[in-house]
Amino acid sequence: NSTARFFSPQGVAADSGGNVYVADTGNNTIRKISPAGVVTTLAGYAGKTGTADGVGSAARFNGPWGVAVDSAGNIYVADSGNNTIRKITAAGLVTTLAGCAACPTGSADGTGSAARFYNPNGIGVDESGNVYVADEYNNTIRKITPDGVVTTLAGLVPPDYWGNPDGSGSSAWFSSPGGVAADSLGNVYVADTYNNTIRKVTPTGVVSTL
């Protein structure tokens, strides 16, 4: 629909019904596009940044980037500027799944607000509802269970060395990982941006370069 307007859209994902969800990054909103091309704002308020959870326009984002949709129609957003991972129901209810917007950046694993991220970027979800995040400035791939338990699946912190050795867990290195997708077997695929490679991470954290 050419009457709709966006401002620096980034992440995009589709649900089983053919609806498309877009992280409209410059507007700090999540937009929905129906199969007929009708654009609506699912959550957030254009031109307003913030951290608030809530329904629809009552919620606030800060530079949302990656988007993924699970089999139940829930949308997950890497809210990069807030260093949090947000969950949006099909009805537009926004909650914070993991991370702490008011806290310093970091790399700590933990549950919910005890976990820390540093510019989360790409995001994907598997068939079991586990969410995978490219934690860009930590050079790691994080896993979040449906209950909000965050672990580091692969990569090494601190991000003071860039390289692309394969290996298991922290013996594998990434360089500003970006896009993420998960397959039906739970493998995670990562666009390893500054290494100019596509990496595969198994459910046990074994990293190889495709």
Side-chain angles (χ1 to χ4, degrees), residues 115-131:
R116 298 289 181 270
F117 299 88
Y118 192 6
N119 202 55
N121 191 334
I123 190 168
V125 60
D126 68 18
E127 292 187 348
S128 298
N130 297 299
V131 176

Side-chain angles (χ1 to χ4, degrees), residues 26-163:
N27 280 321
N28 297 299
T29 56
I30 306 302
R31 315 290 291 278
K32 178 180 178 180
I33 309 173
S34 75
V38 177
V39 179
T40 54
T41 299
L42 179 65
Y45 192 92
K48 299 289 186 180
T49 61
T51 65
D53 291 334
V55 178
S57 61
R60 296 289 183 270
F61 299 88
N62 185 7
W65 201 273
V67 178
V69 184
D70 69 16
S71 59
N74 298 299
I75 300 99
Y76 299 89
V77 179
D79 194 5
S80 297
N82 281 325
N83 295 299
T84 55
I85 306 305
R86 317 291 290 278
K87 178 180 178 180
I88 312 174
T89 68
L93 173 62
V94 180
T95 55
T96 300
L97 179 64
C100 175
C103 301
T105 59
S107 59
D109 291 335
T111 300
S113 61
R116 298 289 181 270
F117 299 88
Y118 192 6
N119 202 55
N121 191 334
I123 190 168
V125 60
D126 68 18
E127 292 187 348
S128 298
N130 297 299
V131 176
Y132 302 90
V133 179
D135 196 5
E136 183 181 13
Y137 292 163
N138 281 323
N139 286 333
T140 55
I141 306 303
R142 315 292 291 279
K143 177 181 178 180
I144 311 172
T145 69
D147 295 328
V149 178
V150 180
T151 54
T152 300
L153 182 63
L156 180 68
V157 179
D160 56 1
Y161 180 85
W162 290 354

